[in-house]
Amino acid sequence: MTTETLAPFDPLAAAIAAVDGGPQVTTTSEAPALVAAPANDGQVATKDLLIIDYSGDLEKVWATMILASTSAAMGVRTRVFVTFWGLQVFVKDSKRITGENWMQKMLSAMQRPGISHRKLSKMNFLGMGPWMMGRLAKRYGVASPKELLEAAQAMGVEFIPCQMTMDMFGLKPEDMIEGMAEPAGAATVIGLLTENSTPLFI
């Protein structure tokens, strides 16, 4: 019987590798060049991506983190507005029950918050599905959602929690992971969408 040996994983290198479409990359300490487009007045306008993340399903969380980290690695200003079940992803893994009243606590008990406790929308198999996905990711050098989240934050991706969802779920700032932006509402999101942000719903 052979023992599987897994190479150390570098989430930042993996995020930059996704830009080139291959696993082999050479990184430097220099920041990636800013992707920009000329504005009508002759000035340079920064490209801006706004991801609206409203799902807590593992595969959708994974997709969000891959796209956010890759976008940031390409020099695009990237913001992720997290609302409804998407917000539970950004609760600290150590938090088991959140909320103030029995309904809020029951919701967190039925769907444990935290990025390390996500379930698949299909073929979850009482946790076997996510476990197999994790093993396959390690075997083929794919970053986990948590590793991608850390890489995205390191590259300046802004994760904006929805104030309405925080109120509904009884979530407090101390329940959330470090580095979250100030909570915002729908008006803020609409403002970004009507300016120069390219929207992406996940």
Side-chain angles (χ1 to χ4, degrees), residues 174-202:
E174 56 266 29
D175 295 329
M176 314 305 292
I177 63 171
E178 299 294 330
M180 297 288 286
E182 288 296 317
T188 299
V189 175
I190 297 301
L192 293 173
L193 294 177
T194 53
E195 291 175 1
N196 65 337
S197 294
T198 301
L200 178 61
F201 289 79
I202 300 180

Side-chain angles (χ1 to χ4, degrees), residues 36 39-40 49 57 62 68 70 73 83 93 118 136 161 177 194-195 202:
N40 293 332
L49 175 65
D57 294 332
W62 220 321
T70 302
T83 184
D93 278 338
R118 300 297 86 209
L136 289 170
I177 63 171
T194 53
E195 291 175 1
I202 300 180

Side-chain angles (χ1 to χ4, degrees), residues 48-54 64-65 68 77-84 86-90 149 153 156-166 171 176-193 197:
D48 194 326
L49 175 65
L50 175 64
I51 299 175
I52 300 176
D53 174 21
Y54 57 88
T64 298
M65 298 307 165
R77 181 178 183 183
T78 307
R79 287 173 283 201
V80 182
F81 179 71
V82 288
T83 184
F84 287 99
L87 191 57
Q88 285 196 325
V89 175
F90 297 88
L149 171 59
Q153 287 186 309
V157 176
E158 300 175 58
F159 292 93
I160 307 169
C162 172
Q163 182 66 68
M164 179 199 70
T165 304
M166 290 189 70
L171 294 172
M176 314 305 292
I177 63 171
E178 299 294 330
M180 297 288 286
E182 288 296 317
T188 299
V189 175
I190 297 301
L192 293 173
L193 294 177
S197 294

Side-chain angles (χ1 to χ4, degrees), residues 9-185:
F9 182 77
D10 184 346
L12 180 57
I16 298 175
V19 177
D20 297 325
Q24 301 299 325
V25 296
T26 301
T27 60
T28 68
S29 58
E30 297 180 1
L34 185 66
V35 179
N40 293 332
D41 57 3
Q43 296 181 346
V44 175
T46 303
K47 286 190 176 180
D48 194 326
L49 175 65
L50 175 64
I51 299 175
I52 300 176
D53 174 21
Y54 57 88
S55 173
D57 294 332
L58 174 59
E59 69 273 22
K60 295 175 184 176
V61 172
W62 220 321
T64 298
M65 298 307 165
I66 290 171
L67 291 171
S69 57
T70 302
S71 173
M74 294 176 66
V76 178
R77 181 178 183 183
T78 307
R79 287 173 283 201
V80 182
F81 179 71
V82 288
T83 184
F84 287 99
W85 300 118
L87 191 57
Q88 285 196 325
V89 175
F90 297 88
V91 175
K92 294 175 182 176
D93 278 338
S94 59
K95 290 282 184 179
R96 182 62 186 90
I97 301 295
T98 59
E100 299 176 344
N101 59 52
W102 69 270
M103 288 183 289
Q104 294 168 340
K105 292 179 179 179
M106 183 172 289
L107 284 172
S108 67
M110 291 187 294
Q111 177 64 277
R112 183 172 180 175
I115 196 167
S116 298
H117 308 294
R118 300 297 86 209
K119 298 179 180 179
L120 287 169
S121 63
K122 296 180 180 179
M123 297 183 291
N124 190 67
F125 298 142
L126 298 176
M128 180 62 72
W131 178 83
M132 289 190 290
M133 290 281 284
R135 294 300 300 171
L136 289 170
K138 288 182 179 179
R139 176 173 295 182
Y140 293 100
V142 177
S144 70
K146 188 171 184 177
E147 290 167 333
L148 289 167
L149 171 59
E150 292 170 354
Q153 287 186 309
M155 289 185 286
V157 176
E158 300 175 58
F159 292 93
I160 307 169
C162 172
Q163 182 66 68
M164 179 199 70
T165 304
M166 290 189 70
D167 294 340
M168 281 184 60
F169 289 174
L171 294 172
K172 301 175 182 178
E174 56 266 29
D175 295 329
M176 314 305 292
I177 63 171
E178 299 294 330
M180 297 288 286
E182 288 296 317

